Amino acid sequence: MTSRLERITGQRLQSLNRLRACGVNPYPHSYHPSHTTAEAITLFEQGKSPGDISLAGRIMARRKMGKIAFLDIRDASGKIQLCFRQDILGPQRYEFLQEIDIGDILGVKGELFRTKTGETSLDVSDYTMLCKSLRPLPEKWHGLVDVEKRYRQRYLDLISNQGARNIFILRSRIITAIRDFLDSRGFMEVETPVFHSQAGGALASPFLTHHHALDEGLYLRIALELHLKRLIVGGFERVYEIGRAFRNEGISVKHNPEFTLLECYQSYSDYNDMMGLVEELVSHIAREVLGDMRIQVGENSIDLAPPWQRLCLRQAIEDCSGIDFENHPDTLSLRSRMEEMGLEVDPAKERGRLIDELISTFVEPKLIQPTFLLDYPVEMSPLAKRKRDDDRLVERFEAFVNGMEIANAFTELNDPLEQRERFSQQLEERDEEAEVADEDFLEALEYGMPPTGGLGMGIDRLVMLLTGQSSIREVILFPQLRTKPRS
């Protein structure tokens, strides 16, 4: 039995053939509209009639009433109604409209006018087929109901869902605002390698690939840190990169294996300076892009204006879970205490990862307003400098908003001997995701890196926050999905 989609596709193929038989090229090389729909409507409503204009866009709706037909077209800037009149186009050109379907892309010429209902419309004097669509748009053209289909066929989501389009327009503006902020403060944008001979700069599982010409295995980077700090050694005092990172870990509403990361490094600063930078950066973006530092995310009204709350990590965990991790100085002791509380504990996890689990389970969900968690155990942060008054801790913070981590920063460790010792100690503890000593990086540190503050911020999560989304897949144009067999 022929499916509805097959019938519609067959009908459109027949229409395509009729167009070609009449000498119409249904896929011309170019078309140059004089205005966008938004520009044209704005000029007309300001009383500045642009006269005879040309527009182009995709047909989203059509209504025919005898000798008059109304079609709606949408371009990147918005939608406008088109009015086709038989007495203007002539009987033949008017009848030819029957070959035009919803989803086709059309170029039109004419003058703007206001209908009896007050809608600004274009009185069409001529039209050109720019692209014949062979498949119908989603049912009712108001959006896809199947969430997975929205992610797999994002182009359909963008055609039919203005809300989705707005998210990605805002994402672009957010990234522009980040660059403007950092550039204005003397940071230089750089690019560093995606392929690494060793996976370093974070505790995460990497993706492995193979370079055929060199005949050696390489890792897709899990962080940008180690190469950016090489640039600090080289004398660039403020650098940043916005780039893709890859972590071979689970997929969730907060994590995509391929994600966009901002990392920046500032010489002669520490994690206190980085806290100020984060507060100013995020509030600047909200003000520039949204026009307000107060945002609404679900039921939560969140104020991004500085200063943000600062909490000691140790105290926050004790307040939320009842566990003081300083009373459990080794893995076995902490694991036993967590098991006493009824928590399922992975026996392969070392003390640092158990503390991280306490954060995500008990503390993170409660951090709705912008909050910095300060001063982490040294084993959790092999690249951070020890705290000035307590060498069991490092000068590190994580920034949380709406129960989600958005940033991580250190006072960077620049002692090459201690850095080598930290790497070695991690390997001795046999953490499967331990930092492996990067000899070239360690050699760079031996030439001398000034005191430095470093920051990493997840762009996807920041966009989630500023657009009020609860799933990371809503803010990534093409999120990672399981490969679907073709039927």
Side-chain angles (χ1 to χ4, degrees), residues 336-365:
S336 297
R337 179 70 182 93
M338 292 171 67
E339 289 174 341
E340 287 174 6
M341 297 177 63
L343 298 175
E344 292 186 15
V345 182
D346 184 345
K349 287 186 175 180
E350 300 297 328
R351 181 172 180 265
R353 290 193 170 275
L354 295 180
I355 293 173
D356 194 48
E357 194 169 308
L358 290 174
I359 298 170
S360 60
T361 303
F362 294 102
V363 182
E364 184 172 335

mmCIF file of all heavy atoms in Angstrom, residues 336-365:
data_model
loop_
_atom_site.group_PDB
_atom_site.id
_atom_site.type_symbol
_atom_site.label_atom_id
_atom_site.label_comp_id
_atom_site.label_asym_id
_atom_site.label_seq_id
_atom_site.Cartn_x
_atom_site.Cartn_y
_atom_site.Cartn_z
ATOM 1 N N SER A 336 33.004 4.114 53.317
ATOM 2 C CA SER A 336 32.232 3.466 54.389
ATOM 3 C C SER A 336 31.169 4.405 54.933
ATOM 4 O O SER A 336 30.033 4.000 55.195
ATOM 5 C CB SER A 336 33.174 3.021 55.517
ATOM 6 O OG SER A 336 34.093 2.066 55.056
ATOM 7 N N ARG A 337 31.543 5.686 55.119
ATOM 8 C CA ARG A 337 30.578 6.651 55.649
ATOM 9 C C ARG A 337 29.421 6.847 54.675
ATOM 10 O O ARG A 337 28.256 6.938 55.101
ATOM 11 C CB ARG A 337 31.277 7.985 55.892
ATOM 12 C CG ARG A 337 30.359 9.084 56.432
ATOM 13 C CD ARG A 337 29.933 8.798 57.865
ATOM 14 N NE ARG A 337 29.021 9.818 58.352
ATOM 15 C CZ ARG A 337 27.689 9.760 58.297
ATOM 16 N NH1 ARG A 337 27.102 8.667 57.775
ATOM 17 N NH2 ARG A 337 26.947 10.736 58.760
ATOM 18 N N MET A 338 29.712 6.896 53.390
ATOM 19 C CA MET A 338 28.665 7.076 52.383
ATOM 20 C C MET A 338 27.757 5.849 52.322
ATOM 21 O O MET A 338 26.535 5.965 52.178
ATOM 22 C CB MET A 338 29.286 7.367 51.020
ATOM 23 C CG MET A 338 29.981 8.723 50.948
ATOM 24 S SD MET A 338 30.940 8.994 49.415
ATOM 25 C CE MET A 338 29.624 9.064 48.197
ATOM 26 N N GLU A 339 28.342 4.670 52.461
ATOM 27 C CA GLU A 339 27.543 3.445 52.453
ATOM 28 C C GLU A 339 26.643 3.364 53.678
ATOM 29 O O GLU A 339 25.513 2.858 53.600
ATOM 30 C CB GLU A 339 28.455 2.228 52.360
ATOM 31 C CG GLU A 339 29.100 2.076 50.992
ATOM 32 C CD GLU A 339 30.128 0.956 50.942
ATOM 33 O OE1 GLU A 339 30.606 0.538 52.019
ATOM 34 O OE2 GLU A 339 30.471 0.518 49.826
ATOM 35 N N GLU A 340 27.124 3.890 54.810
ATOM 36 C CA GLU A 340 26.298 3.937 56.020
ATOM 37 C C GLU A 340 25.039 4.770 55.790
ATOM 38 O O GLU A 340 24.000 4.530 56.391
ATOM 39 C CB GLU A 340 27.088 4.541 57.177
ATOM 40 C CG GLU A 340 28.155 3.639 57.749
ATOM 41 C CD GLU A 340 28.990 4.362 58.806
ATOM 42 O OE1 GLU A 340 28.628 5.525 59.154
ATOM 43 O OE2 GLU A 340 29.981 3.789 59.284
ATOM 44 N N MET A 341 25.148 5.765 54.895
ATOM 45 C CA MET A 341 24.015 6.640 54.591
ATOM 46 C C MET A 341 23.079 6.029 53.547
ATOM 47 O O MET A 341 22.091 6.637 53.161
ATOM 48 C CB MET A 341 24.512 7.997 54.089
ATOM 49 C CG MET A 341 25.328 8.768 55.105
ATOM 50 S SD MET A 341 25.939 10.321 54.413
ATOM 51 C CE MET A 341 24.407 11.172 54.065
ATOM 52 N N GLY A 342 23.423 4.822 53.094
ATOM 53 C CA GLY A 342 22.573 4.150 52.119
ATOM 54 C C GLY A 342 22.885 4.503 50.677
ATOM 55 O O GLY A 342 22.099 4.179 49.776
ATOM 56 N N LEU A 343 24.027 5.168 50.426
ATOM 57 C CA LEU A 343 24.395 5.530 49.068
ATOM 58 C C LEU A 343 25.083 4.357 48.375
ATOM 59 O O LEU A 343 25.857 3.623 48.996
ATOM 60 C CB LEU A 343 25.348 6.733 49.079
ATOM 61 C CG LEU A 343 24.804 8.035 49.676
ATOM 62 C CD1 LEU A 343 25.908 9.084 49.720
ATOM 63 C CD2 LEU A 343 23.630 8.548 48.849
ATOM 64 N N GLU A 344 24.785 4.190 47.094
ATOM 65 C CA GLU A 344 25.492 3.187 46.303
ATOM 66 C C GLU A 344 26.812 3.787 45.846
ATOM 67 O O GLU A 344 26.840 4.814 45.181
ATOM 68 C CB GLU A 344 24.656 2.769 45.101
ATOM 69 C CG GLU A 344 23.403 1.993 45.464
ATOM 70 C CD GLU A 344 22.682 1.474 44.229
ATOM 71 O OE1 GLU A 344 23.302 1.473 43.134
ATOM 72 O OE2 GLU A 344 21.527 1.072 44.361
ATOM 73 N N VAL A 345 27.909 3.139 46.210
ATOM 74 C CA VAL A 345 29.229 3.694 45.958
ATOM 75 C C VAL A 345 30.008 2.767 45.038
ATOM 76 O O VAL A 345 30.133 1.575 45.302
ATOM 77 C CB VAL A 345 30.009 3.893 47.282
ATOM 78 C CG1 VAL A 345 31.367 4.512 47.003
ATOM 79 C CG2 VAL A 345 29.212 4.761 48.243
ATOM 80 N N ASP A 346 30.522 3.329 43.961
ATOM 81 C CA ASP A 346 31.346 2.569 43.026
ATOM 82 C C ASP A 346 32.678 2.250 43.707
ATOM 83 O O ASP A 346 33.434 3.171 44.065
ATOM 84 C CB ASP A 346 31.570 3.402 41.759
ATOM 85 C CG ASP A 346 32.344 2.658 40.686
ATOM 86 O OD1 ASP A 346 32.947 1.614 40.997
ATOM 87 O OD2 ASP A 346 32.354 3.128 39.540
ATOM 88 N N PRO A 347 33.020 0.985 43.888
ATOM 89 C CA PRO A 347 34.256 0.635 44.588
ATOM 90 C C PRO A 347 35.516 1.068 43.840
ATOM 91 O O PRO A 347 36.602 1.112 44.438
ATOM 92 C CB PRO A 347 34.180 -0.895 44.704
ATOM 93 C CG PRO A 347 33.229 -1.319 43.646
ATOM 94 C CD PRO A 347 32.248 -0.208 43.505
ATOM 95 N N ALA A 348 35.393 1.393 42.554
ATOM 96 C CA ALA A 348 36.567 1.810 41.783
ATOM 97 C C ALA A 348 36.888 3.294 41.966
ATOM 98 O O ALA A 348 37.959 3.751 41.578
ATOM 99 C CB ALA A 348 36.336 1.519 40.299
ATOM 100 N N LYS A 349 35.973 4.038 42.579
ATOM 101 C CA LYS A 349 36.189 5.482 42.701
ATOM 102 C C LYS A 349 37.103 5.812 43.869
ATOM 103 O O LYS A 349 36.945 5.287 44.974
ATOM 104 C CB LYS A 349 34.852 6.202 42.873
ATOM 105 C CG LYS A 349 34.020 6.250 41.596
ATOM 106 C CD LYS A 349 32.771 7.099 41.772
ATOM 107 C CE LYS A 349 32.007 7.230 40.451
ATOM 108 N NZ LYS A 349 30.791 8.046 40.600
ATOM 109 N N GLU A 350 38.048 6.717 43.595
ATOM 110 C CA GLU A 350 38.949 7.194 44.642
ATOM 111 C C GLU A 350 38.276 8.333 45.422
ATOM 112 O O GLU A 350 37.184 8.786 45.094
ATOM 113 C CB GLU A 350 40.257 7.689 44.002
ATOM 114 C CG GLU A 350 41.006 6.633 43.213
ATOM 115 C CD GLU A 350 41.463 5.469 44.077
ATOM 116 O OE1 GLU A 350 41.767 5.702 45.256
ATOM 117 O OE2 GLU A 350 41.503 4.328 43.574
ATOM 118 N N ARG A 351 38.965 8.800 46.466
ATOM 119 C CA ARG A 351 38.382 9.781 47.398
ATOM 120 C C ARG A 351 37.899 11.044 46.679
ATOM 121 O O ARG A 351 36.799 11.547 46.953
ATOM 122 C CB ARG A 351 39.411 10.165 48.464
ATOM 123 C CG ARG A 351 38.892 11.165 49.507
ATOM 124 C CD ARG A 351 39.905 11.339 50.626
ATOM 125 N NE ARG A 351 39.460 12.279 51.649
ATOM 126 C CZ ARG A 351 39.771 13.573 51.673
ATOM 127 N NH1 ARG A 351 40.534 14.099 50.709
ATOM 128 N NH2 ARG A 351 39.328 14.348 52.647
ATOM 129 N N GLY A 352 38.691 11.548 45.741
ATOM 130 C CA GLY A 352 38.297 12.764 45.048
ATOM 131 C C GLY A 352 36.994 12.601 44.291
ATOM 132 O O GLY A 352 36.139 13.495 44.290
ATOM 133 N N ARG A 353 36.825 11.459 43.647
ATOM 134 C CA ARG A 353 35.584 11.233 42.893
ATOM 135 C C ARG A 353 34.403 10.999 43.827
ATOM 136 O O ARG A 353 33.262 11.317 43.474
ATOM 137 C CB ARG A 353 35.765 10.053 41.945
ATOM 138 C CG ARG A 353 36.718 10.394 40.807
ATOM 139 C CD ARG A 353 36.664 9.352 39.705
ATOM 140 N NE ARG A 353 37.402 9.833 38.549
ATOM 141 C CZ ARG A 353 36.908 10.617 37.608
ATOM 142 N NH1 ARG A 353 35.648 11.018 37.680
ATOM 143 N NH2 ARG A 353 37.642 11.011 36.591
ATOM 144 N N LEU A 354 34.646 10.458 44.988
ATOM 145 C CA LEU A 354 33.566 10.296 45.972
ATOM 146 C C LEU A 354 33.105 11.664 46.475
ATOM 147 O O LEU A 354 31.903 11.888 46.661
ATOM 148 C CB LEU A 354 34.025 9.422 47.136
ATOM 149 C CG LEU A 354 34.360 7.965 46.793
ATOM 150 C CD1 LEU A 354 34.799 7.210 48.042
ATOM 151 C CD2 LEU A 354 33.174 7.263 46.144
ATOM 152 N N ILE A 355 34.046 12.559 46.709
ATOM 153 C CA ILE A 355 33.678 13.913 47.127
ATOM 154 C C ILE A 355 32.880 14.602 46.018
ATOM 155 O O ILE A 355 31.880 15.288 46.283
ATOM 156 C CB ILE A 355 34.933 14.725 47.494
ATOM 157 C CG1 ILE A 355 35.587 14.133 48.746
ATOM 158 C CG2 ILE A 355 34.586 16.201 47.716
ATOM 159 C CD1 ILE A 355 36.923 14.752 49.105
ATOM 160 N N ASP A 356 33.294 14.397 44.770
ATOM 161 C CA ASP A 356 32.557 14.967 43.645
ATOM 162 C C ASP A 356 31.130 14.425 43.599
ATOM 163 O O ASP A 356 30.186 15.150 43.269
ATOM 164 C CB ASP A 356 33.293 14.643 42.342
ATOM 165 C CG ASP A 356 32.788 15.467 41.177
ATOM 166 O OD1 ASP A 356 32.659 16.699 41.316
ATOM 167 O OD2 ASP A 356 32.496 14.881 40.125
ATOM 168 N N GLU A 357 30.962 13.159 43.960
ATOM 169 C CA GLU A 357 29.624 12.566 43.996
ATOM 170 C C GLU A 357 28.775 13.200 45.092
ATOM 171 O O GLU A 357 27.566 13.411 44.917
ATOM 172 C CB GLU A 357 29.749 11.058 44.222
ATOM 173 C CG GLU A 357 28.473 10.287 43.951
ATOM 174 C CD GLU A 357 28.714 8.789 43.915
ATOM 175 O OE1 GLU A 357 29.601 8.345 43.181
ATOM 176 O OE2 GLU A 357 27.995 8.077 44.652
ATOM 177 N N LEU A 358 29.400 13.519 46.224
ATOM 178 C CA LEU A 358 28.667 14.208 47.298
ATOM 179 C C LEU A 358 28.206 15.586 46.831
ATOM 180 O O LEU A 358 27.091 16.021 47.140
ATOM 181 C CB LEU A 358 29.556 14.351 48.534
ATOM 182 C CG LEU A 358 29.891 13.066 49.298
ATOM 183 C CD1 LEU A 358 30.893 13.356 50.413
ATOM 184 C CD2 LEU A 358 28.627 12.434 49.878
ATOM 185 N N ILE A 359 29.060 16.266 46.057
ATOM 186 C CA ILE A 359 28.677 17.584 45.540
ATOM 187 C C ILE A 359 27.458 17.461 44.636
ATOM 188 O O ILE A 359 26.461 18.185 44.796
ATOM 189 C CB ILE A 359 29.847 18.220 44.761
ATOM 190 C CG1 ILE A 359 31.052 18.456 45.671
ATOM 191 C CG2 ILE A 359 29.405 19.553 44.137
ATOM 192 C CD1 ILE A 359 32.312 18.852 44.915
ATOM 193 N N SER A 360 27.531 16.551 43.661
ATOM 194 C CA SER A 360 26.453 16.444 42.677
ATOM 195 C C SER A 360 25.157 15.923 43.289
ATOM 196 O O SER A 360 24.068 16.287 42.840
ATOM 197 C CB SER A 360 26.888 15.545 41.519
ATOM 198 O OG SER A 360 27.203 14.243 41.982
ATOM 199 N N THR A 361 25.266 15.100 44.335
ATOM 200 C CA THR A 361 24.071 14.513 44.946
ATOM 201 C C THR A 361 23.402 15.461 45.928
ATOM 202 O O THR A 361 22.172 15.629 45.917
ATOM 203 C CB THR A 361 24.421 13.194 45.666
ATOM 204 O OG1 THR A 361 25.015 12.289 44.736
ATOM 205 C CG2 THR A 361 23.186 12.564 46.293
ATOM 206 N N PHE A 362 24.189 16.090 46.778
ATOM 207 C CA PHE A 362 23.615 16.849 47.892
ATOM 208 C C PHE A 362 23.682 18.371 47.734
ATOM 209 O O PHE A 362 22.786 19.073 48.198
ATOM 210 C CB PHE A 362 24.320 16.459 49.197
ATOM 211 C CG PHE A 362 24.096 15.038 49.623
ATOM 212 C CD1 PHE A 362 25.060 14.073 49.417
ATOM 213 C CD2 PHE A 362 22.894 14.668 50.212
ATOM 214 C CE1 PHE A 362 24.851 12.748 49.809
ATOM 215 C CE2 PHE A 362 22.672 13.356 50.607
ATOM 216 C CZ PHE A 362 23.651 12.393 50.397
ATOM 217 N N VAL A 363 24.728 18.876 47.110
ATOM 218 C CA VAL A 363 24.947 20.326 47.100
ATOM 219 C C VAL A 363 24.420 20.978 45.827
ATOM 220 O O VAL A 363 23.646 21.940 45.877
ATOM 221 C CB VAL A 363 26.457 20.636 47.276
ATOM 222 C CG1 VAL A 363 26.665 22.155 47.318
ATOM 223 C CG2 VAL A 363 26.990 19.990 48.543
ATOM 224 N N GLU A 364 24.828 20.457 44.698
ATOM 225 C CA GLU A 364 24.519 21.089 43.411
ATOM 226 C C GLU A 364 23.039 21.390 43.207
ATOM 227 O O GLU A 364 22.690 22.505 42.784
ATOM 228 C CB GLU A 364 25.054 20.197 42.279
ATOM 229 C CG GLU A 364 24.901 20.775 40.896
ATOM 230 C CD GLU A 364 25.620 19.955 39.849
ATOM 231 O OE1 GLU A 364 26.583 19.249 40.190
ATOM 232 O OE2 GLU A 364 25.209 20.009 38.673
ATOM 233 N N PRO A 365 22.128 20.454 43.518
ATOM 234 C CA PRO A 365 20.703 20.754 43.260
ATOM 235 C C PRO A 365 20.167 21.939 44.060
ATOM 236 O O PRO A 365 19.141 22.518 43.677
ATOM 237 C CB PRO A 365 19.994 19.450 43.675
ATOM 238 C CG PRO A 365 21.047 18.389 43.605
ATOM 239 C CD PRO A 365 22.315 19.066 44.006
#
